[in-house]
Short mmCIF file of all heavy atoms in Angstrom, two decimals:
data_model
loop_
_atom_site.label_atom_id
_atom_site.label_comp_id
_atom_site.label_asym_id
_atom_site.label_seq_id
_atom_site.Cartn_x
_atom_site.Cartn_y
_atom_site.Cartn_z
N MET G 1 111.90 11.28 136.68
CA MET G 1 113.07 10.78 136.00
C MET G 1 113.97 11.94 135.58
O MET G 1 113.50 13.03 135.31
CB MET G 1 112.66 9.98 134.76
CG MET G 1 111.80 8.80 135.04
SD MET G 1 111.99 7.65 133.67
CE MET G 1 111.66 6.16 134.54
N GLY G 2 115.24 11.67 135.44
CA GLY G 2 116.21 12.70 135.12
C GLY G 2 116.00 13.38 133.78
O GLY G 2 116.25 14.56 133.64
N TRP G 3 115.56 12.64 132.76
CA TRP G 3 115.41 13.22 131.42
C TRP G 3 114.31 14.26 131.36
O TRP G 3 114.30 15.10 130.47
CB TRP G 3 115.14 12.13 130.38
CG TRP G 3 113.86 11.39 130.63
CD1 TRP G 3 113.72 10.22 131.33
CD2 TRP G 3 112.55 11.74 130.19
NE1 TRP G 3 112.41 9.84 131.36
CE2 TRP G 3 111.66 10.76 130.68
CE3 TRP G 3 112.03 12.80 129.46
CZ2 TRP G 3 110.30 10.79 130.43
CZ3 TRP G 3 110.67 12.84 129.23
CH2 TRP G 3 109.83 11.84 129.72
N GLN G 4 113.37 14.24 132.31
CA GLN G 4 112.24 15.18 132.25
C GLN G 4 112.68 16.62 132.48
O GLN G 4 112.01 17.53 132.04
CB GLN G 4 111.17 14.77 133.27
CG GLN G 4 110.50 13.47 132.87
CD GLN G 4 109.55 12.95 133.92
OE1 GLN G 4 109.75 13.18 135.10
NE2 GLN G 4 108.53 12.26 133.49
N GLY G 5 113.80 16.84 133.11
CA GLY G 5 114.29 18.19 133.32
C GLY G 5 115.25 18.66 132.24
O GLY G 5 115.78 19.76 132.33
N VAL G 6 115.46 17.86 131.22
CA VAL G 6 116.42 18.19 130.16
C VAL G 6 115.68 18.84 128.99
O VAL G 6 114.65 18.34 128.54
CB VAL G 6 117.15 16.91 129.68
CG1 VAL G 6 118.07 17.21 128.52
CG2 VAL G 6 117.92 16.28 130.82
N ASP G 7 116.21 19.96 128.52
CA ASP G 7 115.64 20.64 127.35
C ASP G 7 115.71 19.68 126.16
O ASP G 7 116.75 19.06 125.92
CB ASP G 7 116.44 21.91 127.07
CG ASP G 7 115.82 22.77 126.00
OD1 ASP G 7 114.59 22.87 125.95
OD2 ASP G 7 116.58 23.34 125.20
N SER G 8 114.60 19.54 125.43
CA SER G 8 114.59 18.58 124.33
C SER G 8 113.72 19.06 123.18
O SER G 8 112.80 19.85 123.37
CB SER G 8 114.08 17.22 124.81
OG SER G 8 112.79 17.35 125.37
N THR G 9 114.04 18.58 122.00
CA THR G 9 113.27 18.90 120.80
C THR G 9 112.90 17.59 120.12
O THR G 9 113.74 16.71 119.95
CB THR G 9 114.10 19.75 119.82
OG1 THR G 9 114.52 20.94 120.49
CG2 THR G 9 113.30 20.12 118.59
N TYR G 10 111.63 17.48 119.70
CA TYR G 10 111.18 16.30 118.97
C TYR G 10 110.91 16.71 117.54
O TYR G 10 110.23 17.71 117.28
CB TYR G 10 109.89 15.75 119.61
CG TYR G 10 109.50 14.40 119.07
CD1 TYR G 10 109.78 13.25 119.78
CD2 TYR G 10 108.85 14.27 117.84
CE1 TYR G 10 109.44 12.00 119.30
CE2 TYR G 10 108.50 13.03 117.35
CZ TYR G 10 108.79 11.90 118.07
OH TYR G 10 108.44 10.67 117.60
N ARG G 11 111.45 15.98 116.62
CA ARG G 11 111.26 16.24 115.19
C ARG G 11 110.10 15.38 114.70
O ARG G 11 110.19 14.16 114.66
CB ARG G 11 112.56 15.89 114.47
CG ARG G 11 112.69 16.36 113.08
CD ARG G 11 114.08 16.11 112.50
NE ARG G 11 114.86 15.04 113.09
CZ ARG G 11 115.81 15.20 114.01
NH1 ARG G 11 116.13 16.39 114.44
NH2 ARG G 11 116.47 14.18 114.50
N VAL G 12 108.99 16.03 114.32
CA VAL G 12 107.83 15.33 113.76
C VAL G 12 108.01 15.25 112.25
O VAL G 12 108.08 16.28 111.57
CB VAL G 12 106.51 16.05 114.10
CG1 VAL G 12 105.32 15.36 113.44
CG2 VAL G 12 106.30 16.12 115.61
N CYS G 13 108.13 14.06 111.74
CA CYS G 13 108.35 13.84 110.31
C CYS G 13 106.98 13.68 109.64
O CYS G 13 106.36 12.62 109.72
CB CYS G 13 109.21 12.60 110.10
SG CYS G 13 110.81 12.71 110.93
N THR G 14 106.53 14.74 109.00
CA THR G 14 105.16 14.79 108.50
C THR G 14 104.90 13.88 107.30
O THR G 14 103.73 13.63 106.98
CB THR G 14 104.76 16.23 108.15
OG1 THR G 14 105.64 16.73 107.14
CG2 THR G 14 104.81 17.13 109.38
N GLU G 15 105.94 13.39 106.66
CA GLU G 15 105.75 12.48 105.52
C GLU G 15 106.17 11.04 105.86
O GLU G 15 106.38 10.22 104.97
CB GLU G 15 106.53 12.99 104.31
CG GLU G 15 106.01 14.34 103.82
CD GLU G 15 106.83 14.90 102.68
OE1 GLU G 15 107.68 14.18 102.10
OE2 GLU G 15 106.65 16.09 102.38
N ASP G 16 106.26 10.76 107.15
CA ASP G 16 106.67 9.43 107.62
C ASP G 16 105.56 8.42 107.31
O ASP G 16 104.41 8.63 107.66
CB ASP G 16 106.91 9.50 109.13
CG ASP G 16 107.61 8.28 109.68
OD1 ASP G 16 107.49 7.19 109.08
OD2 ASP G 16 108.27 8.41 110.71
N ARG G 17 105.92 7.34 106.64
CA ARG G 17 104.95 6.28 106.34
C ARG G 17 105.11 5.09 107.28
O ARG G 17 104.44 4.08 107.12
CB ARG G 17 105.09 5.84 104.88
CG ARG G 17 104.66 6.97 103.93
CD ARG G 17 104.74 6.55 102.49
NE ARG G 17 106.14 6.37 102.11
CZ ARG G 17 106.56 5.70 101.05
NH1 ARG G 17 105.69 5.16 100.23
NH2 ARG G 17 107.84 5.60 100.78
N SER G 18 106.00 5.23 108.26
CA SER G 18 106.24 4.15 109.21
C SER G 18 105.55 4.43 110.55
O SER G 18 104.92 3.56 111.11
CB SER G 18 107.75 3.99 109.43
OG SER G 18 108.01 3.05 110.41
N THR G 19 105.69 5.65 111.04
CA THR G 19 105.10 6.05 112.32
C THR G 19 104.12 7.19 112.04
O THR G 19 104.50 8.19 111.43
CB THR G 19 106.20 6.54 113.29
OG1 THR G 19 107.19 5.51 113.43
CG2 THR G 19 105.62 6.85 114.65
N THR G 20 102.88 7.04 112.48
CA THR G 20 101.87 8.06 112.18
C THR G 20 102.25 9.40 112.80
O THR G 20 102.91 9.46 113.85
CB THR G 20 100.48 7.65 112.69
OG1 THR G 20 100.52 7.63 114.13
CG2 THR G 20 100.04 6.31 112.14
N VAL G 21 101.79 10.46 112.17
CA VAL G 21 102.04 11.80 112.69
C VAL G 21 101.37 11.95 114.06
O VAL G 21 101.93 12.56 114.97
CB VAL G 21 101.55 12.88 111.69
CG1 VAL G 21 101.62 14.27 112.31
CG2 VAL G 21 102.38 12.83 110.42
N GLY G 22 100.19 11.35 114.23
CA GLY G 22 99.52 11.42 115.52
C GLY G 22 100.34 10.81 116.64
O GLY G 22 100.44 11.38 117.73
N LEU G 23 100.95 9.65 116.39
CA LEU G 23 101.79 9.01 117.40
C LEU G 23 103.04 9.85 117.66
O LEU G 23 103.46 10.02 118.80
CB LEU G 23 102.18 7.61 116.96
CG LEU G 23 103.05 6.82 117.93
CD1 LEU G 23 102.39 6.69 119.30
CD2 LEU G 23 103.38 5.45 117.35
N GLN G 24 103.61 10.41 116.60
CA GLN G 24 104.77 11.27 116.77
C GLN G 24 104.41 12.48 117.63
O GLN G 24 105.17 12.88 118.51
CB GLN G 24 105.30 11.75 115.43
CG GLN G 24 105.92 10.67 114.58
CD GLN G 24 106.40 11.23 113.28
OE1 GLN G 24 107.35 12.02 113.26
NE2 GLN G 24 105.77 10.82 112.19
N ARG G 25 103.25 13.08 117.39
CA ARG G 25 102.83 14.24 118.19
C ARG G 25 102.60 13.86 119.65
O ARG G 25 102.87 14.65 120.56
CB ARG G 25 101.60 14.88 117.59
CG ARG G 25 101.88 15.53 116.24
CD ARG G 25 100.85 16.57 115.87
NE ARG G 25 100.96 16.98 114.49
CZ ARG G 25 101.93 17.73 113.98
NH1 ARG G 25 102.91 18.14 114.75
NH2 ARG G 25 101.93 18.05 112.69
N ALA G 26 102.10 12.65 119.90
CA ALA G 26 101.92 12.18 121.28
C ALA G 26 103.28 12.09 121.98
O ALA G 26 103.42 12.50 123.13
CB ALA G 26 101.20 10.84 121.29
N HIS G 27 104.28 11.56 121.28
CA HIS G 27 105.63 11.50 121.85
C HIS G 27 106.20 12.92 122.01
O HIS G 27 106.86 13.21 123.01
CB HIS G 27 106.56 10.68 120.97
CG HIS G 27 106.25 9.22 120.96
ND1 HIS G 27 106.25 8.44 122.09
CD2 HIS G 27 105.91 8.40 119.95
CE1 HIS G 27 105.94 7.20 121.78
NE2 HIS G 27 105.73 7.14 120.47
N ALA G 28 105.94 13.77 121.04
CA ALA G 28 106.48 15.13 121.07
C ALA G 28 105.93 15.94 122.24
O ALA G 28 106.58 16.87 122.70
CB ALA G 28 106.16 15.84 119.75
N ALA G 29 104.76 15.60 122.72
CA ALA G 29 104.15 16.33 123.84
C ALA G 29 105.02 16.25 125.10
O ALA G 29 104.91 17.11 125.97
CB ALA G 29 102.75 15.79 124.11
N ARG G 30 105.88 15.25 125.18
CA ARG G 30 106.75 15.10 126.35
C ARG G 30 108.04 15.92 126.22
O ARG G 30 108.76 16.08 127.20
CB ARG G 30 107.11 13.63 126.54
CG ARG G 30 105.88 12.80 126.89
CD ARG G 30 106.24 11.37 127.11
NE ARG G 30 106.60 10.76 125.83
CZ ARG G 30 106.80 9.47 125.66
NH1 ARG G 30 106.70 8.64 126.66
NH2 ARG G 30 107.10 8.99 124.47
N ALA G 31 108.32 16.43 125.03
CA ALA G 31 109.54 17.22 124.82
C ALA G 31 109.28 18.69 125.14
O ALA G 31 108.13 19.13 125.24
CB ALA G 31 109.99 17.08 123.36
N SER G 32 110.34 19.47 125.25
CA SER G 32 110.21 20.90 125.49
C SER G 32 109.58 21.61 124.30
O SER G 32 108.85 22.58 124.46
CB SER G 32 111.59 21.52 125.74
OG SER G 32 112.25 20.88 126.80
N ARG G 33 109.89 21.13 123.11
CA ARG G 33 109.35 21.73 121.89
C ARG G 33 109.32 20.66 120.80
O ARG G 33 109.99 19.64 120.92
CB ARG G 33 110.18 22.92 121.44
CG ARG G 33 111.50 22.57 120.79
CD ARG G 33 112.43 23.74 120.57
NE ARG G 33 112.89 24.36 121.80
CZ ARG G 33 113.78 23.83 122.63
NH1 ARG G 33 114.32 22.66 122.37
NH2 ARG G 33 114.15 24.46 123.72
N SER G 34 108.55 20.93 119.75
CA SER G 34 108.58 20.04 118.59
C SER G 34 108.73 20.88 117.33
O SER G 34 108.35 22.04 117.30
CB SER G 34 107.32 19.17 118.52
OG SER G 34 106.19 19.96 118.29
N VAL G 35 109.30 20.26 116.32
CA VAL G 35 109.53 20.90 115.03
C VAL G 35 108.99 19.97 113.96
O VAL G 35 109.33 18.79 113.93
CB VAL G 35 111.04 21.15 114.81
CG1 VAL G 35 111.29 21.76 113.45
CG2 VAL G 35 111.62 22.00 115.90
N ASP G 36 108.14 20.49 113.08
CA ASP G 36 107.65 19.70 111.95
C ASP G 36 108.63 19.80 110.80
O ASP G 36 109.10 20.90 110.47
CB ASP G 36 106.29 20.22 111.46
CG ASP G 36 105.14 19.84 112.38
OD1 ASP G 36 105.40 19.33 113.49
OD2 ASP G 36 103.99 20.04 111.98
N VAL G 37 108.96 18.67 110.23
CA VAL G 37 109.81 18.64 109.03
C VAL G 37 109.11 17.79 107.97
O VAL G 37 108.55 16.74 108.29
CB VAL G 37 111.23 18.11 109.32
CG1 VAL G 37 112.02 19.09 110.13
CG2 VAL G 37 111.21 16.77 110.02
N ALA G 38 109.12 18.26 106.75
CA ALA G 38 108.44 17.56 105.66
C ALA G 38 109.37 16.48 105.09
O ALA G 38 109.91 16.60 104.00
CB ALA G 38 108.04 18.54 104.57
N THR G 39 109.57 15.43 105.90
CA THR G 39 110.45 14.34 105.50
C THR G 39 109.82 13.01 105.88
O THR G 39 108.84 12.96 106.61
CB THR G 39 111.82 14.42 106.20
OG1 THR G 39 111.65 14.18 107.60
CG2 THR G 39 112.49 15.74 105.98
N GLY G 40 110.45 11.95 105.41
CA GLY G 40 110.05 10.61 105.81
C GLY G 40 110.67 10.24 107.14
O GLY G 40 111.07 11.10 107.93
N HIS G 41 110.79 8.95 107.38
CA HIS G 41 111.17 8.41 108.68
C HIS G 41 112.61 8.72 109.10
O HIS G 41 112.90 8.76 110.29
CB HIS G 41 110.96 6.88 108.66
CG HIS G 41 111.04 6.23 109.98
ND1 HIS G 41 110.06 6.40 110.95
CD2 HIS G 41 111.97 5.41 110.52
CE1 HIS G 41 110.38 5.69 112.02
NE2 HIS G 41 111.54 5.08 111.79
N HIS G 42 113.51 8.94 108.16
CA HIS G 42 114.92 9.17 108.48
C HIS G 42 115.40 10.51 107.92
O HIS G 42 116.16 10.56 106.95
CB HIS G 42 115.79 8.04 107.91
CG HIS G 42 115.46 6.70 108.46
ND1 HIS G 42 115.74 6.35 109.76
CD2 HIS G 42 114.85 5.63 107.91
CE1 HIS G 42 115.33 5.11 109.98
NE2 HIS G 42 114.78 4.66 108.87
N PRO G 43 115.01 11.63 108.52
CA PRO G 43 115.39 12.94 107.98
C PRO G 43 116.89 13.19 107.98
O PRO G 43 117.40 13.93 107.15
CB PRO G 43 114.67 13.93 108.88
CG PRO G 43 114.45 13.18 110.15
CD PRO G 43 114.24 11.75 109.76
N PHE G 44 117.62 12.54 108.89
CA PHE G 44 119.07 12.73 108.94
C PHE G 44 119.75 12.10 107.73
O PHE G 44 120.88 12.45 107.42
CB PHE G 44 119.65 12.17 110.24
CG PHE G 44 119.18 10.77 110.56
CD1 PHE G 44 119.83 9.67 110.06
CD2 PHE G 44 118.05 10.58 111.35
CE1 PHE G 44 119.40 8.39 110.35
CE2 PHE G 44 117.60 9.30 111.64
CZ PHE G 44 118.27 8.20 111.14
N VAL G 45 119.04 11.22 107.01
CA VAL G 45 119.57 10.61 105.79
C VAL G 45 119.05 11.37 104.56
O VAL G 45 119.81 11.74 103.68
CB VAL G 45 119.19 9.12 105.69
CG1 VAL G 45 119.59 8.53 104.35
CG2 VAL G 45 119.81 8.33 106.83
N SER G 46 117.72 11.60 104.53
CA SER G 46 117.11 12.21 103.34
C SER G 46 117.26 13.73 103.28
O SER G 46 117.35 14.29 102.20
CB SER G 46 115.63 11.84 103.25
OG SER G 46 114.92 12.34 104.37
N ARG G 47 117.29 14.40 104.43
CA ARG G 47 117.40 15.86 104.46
C ARG G 47 118.31 16.32 105.58
O ARG G 47 117.89 17.00 106.51
CB ARG G 47 116.01 16.49 104.64
CG ARG G 47 115.06 16.38 103.47
CD ARG G 47 115.53 17.11 102.22
NE ARG G 47 115.90 18.49 102.42
CZ ARG G 47 115.06 19.52 102.33
NH1 ARG G 47 113.81 19.32 102.04
NH2 ARG G 47 115.50 20.75 102.52
N PRO G 48 119.58 15.95 105.52
CA PRO G 48 120.49 16.36 106.59
C PRO G 48 120.58 17.87 106.74
O PRO G 48 120.86 18.36 107.84
CB PRO G 48 121.82 15.73 106.19
CG PRO G 48 121.71 15.48 104.72
CD PRO G 48 120.26 15.21 104.47
N ASP G 49 120.32 18.61 105.67
CA ASP G 49 120.35 20.07 105.75
C ASP G 49 119.31 20.59 106.75
O ASP G 49 119.57 21.54 107.50
CB ASP G 49 120.13 20.70 104.38
CG ASP G 49 118.82 20.27 103.73
OD1 ASP G 49 118.51 19.05 103.71
OD2 ASP G 49 118.08 21.14 103.22
N LEU G 50 118.13 19.97 106.80
CA LEU G 50 117.10 20.38 107.75
C LEU G 50 117.51 20.06 109.19
O LEU G 50 117.27 20.85 110.10
CB LEU G 50 115.77 19.71 107.44
CG LEU G 50 115.11 20.07 106.12
CD1 LEU G 50 113.81 19.28 105.94
CD2 LEU G 50 114.83 21.56 106.05
N VAL G 51 118.13 18.92 109.38
CA VAL G 51 118.58 18.53 110.71
C VAL G 51 119.67 19.48 111.20
O VAL G 51 119.64 19.96 112.34
CB VAL G 51 119.08 17.07 110.72
CG1 VAL G 51 119.63 16.70 112.08
CG2 VAL G 51 117.94 16.13 110.32
N VAL G 52 120.60 19.82 110.32
CA VAL G 52 121.67 20.75 110.68
C VAL G 52 121.10 22.13 111.01
O VAL G 52 121.50 22.75 112.00
CB VAL G 52 122.73 20.84 109.55
CG1 VAL G 52 123.69 22.00 109.78
CG2 VAL G 52 123.49 19.54 109.44
N ALA G 53 120.15 22.60 110.21
CA ALA G 53 119.54 23.91 110.47
C ALA G 53 118.82 23.92 111.82
O ALA G 53 118.91 24.90 112.58
CB ALA G 53 118.58 24.27 109.34
N GLU G 54 118.13 22.84 112.13
CA GLU G 54 117.43 22.74 113.41
C GLU G 54 118.42 22.75 114.56
O GLU G 54 118.22 23.48 115.56
CB GLU G 54 116.59 21.46 113.43
CG GLU G 54 115.90 21.20 114.75
CD GLU G 54 115.33 19.82 114.80
OE1 GLU G 54 114.84 19.31 113.77
OE2 GLU G 54 115.37 19.22 115.88
N LEU G 55 119.47 21.98 114.46
CA LEU G 55 120.49 21.94 115.52
C LEU G 55 121.16 23.30 115.69
O LEU G 55 121.39 23.75 116.81
CB LEU G 55 121.53 20.88 115.22
CG LEU G 55 121.07 19.44 115.38
CD1 LEU G 55 122.13 18.48 114.81
CD2 LEU G 55 120.78 19.12 116.82
N ALA G 56 121.45 23.96 114.60
CA ALA G 56 122.08 25.28 114.66
C ALA G 56 121.16 26.28 115.38
O ALA G 56 121.62 27.08 116.19
CB ALA G 56 122.42 25.79 113.26
N ALA G 57 119.86 26.21 115.10
CA ALA G 57 118.90 27.11 115.76
C ALA G 57 118.84 26.84 117.25
O ALA G 57 118.80 27.78 118.07
CB ALA G 57 117.52 26.95 115.12
N VAL G 58 118.84 25.57 117.65
CA VAL G 58 118.79 25.23 119.06
C VAL G 58 120.07 25.67 119.78
O VAL G 58 120.02 26.22 120.87
CB VAL G 58 118.55 23.71 119.25
CG1 VAL G 58 118.77 23.29 120.68
CG2 VAL G 58 117.14 23.33 118.79
N LEU G 59 121.20 25.44 119.14
CA LEU G 59 122.47 25.77 119.78
C LEU G 59 122.73 27.27 119.86
O LEU G 59 123.51 27.71 120.69
CB LEU G 59 123.63 25.09 119.03
CG LEU G 59 123.63 23.56 119.14
CD1 LEU G 59 124.70 22.97 118.23
CD2 LEU G 59 123.81 23.10 120.57
N SER G 60 122.08 28.05 119.01
CA SER G 60 122.31 29.51 119.02
C SER G 60 121.45 30.23 120.06
O SER G 60 121.58 31.42 120.22
CB SER G 60 122.05 30.08 117.63
OG SER G 60 120.66 30.01 117.32
N ARG G 61 120.62 29.49 120.76
CA ARG G 61 119.75 30.13 121.77
C ARG G 61 120.53 30.48 122.99
O ARG G 61 121.42 29.94 123.45
CB ARG G 61 118.60 29.20 122.15
CG ARG G 61 117.66 29.03 121.02
CD ARG G 61 116.50 28.18 121.43
NE ARG G 61 115.82 27.82 120.18
CZ ARG G 61 114.95 26.86 120.08
NH1 ARG G 61 114.61 26.18 121.12
NH2 ARG G 61 114.38 26.60 118.95
#
């Protein structure tokens, strides 16, 4: 599939009470890299600063 050749990052939300960390890590195994963030299910709402920092790091490569 086309997406398999695309550089990708999976954000593992370690305090998520909706999706287990184990399931998130299984999904993350398909990405190019994963980043652990100490947030709940919606880090872009609860910790947008972490999301922005992650994006900035990826874009500066």
Side-chain angles (χ1 to χ4, degrees):
M1 300 203 152
W3 62 267
Q4 292 174 330
V6 176
D7 188 38
S8 58
T9 303
Y10 190 100
R11 193 173 25 261
V12 176
C13 302
T14 60
E15 296 176 11
D16 192 333
R17 292 182 292 163
S18 175
T19 305
T20 67
V21 172
L23 181 57
Q24 291 180 67
R25 292 201 192 288
H27 291 300
R30 295 181 289 190
S32 304
R33 75 190 65 73
S34 65
V35 177
D36 285 10
V37 290
T39 67
H41 192 70
H42 299 290
F44 49 87
V45 173
S46 62
R47 290 297 308 271
D49 58 312
L50 295 178
V51 176
V52 169
E54 176 191 324
L55 288 170
V58 168
L59 293 173
S60 69
R61 292 183 193 164

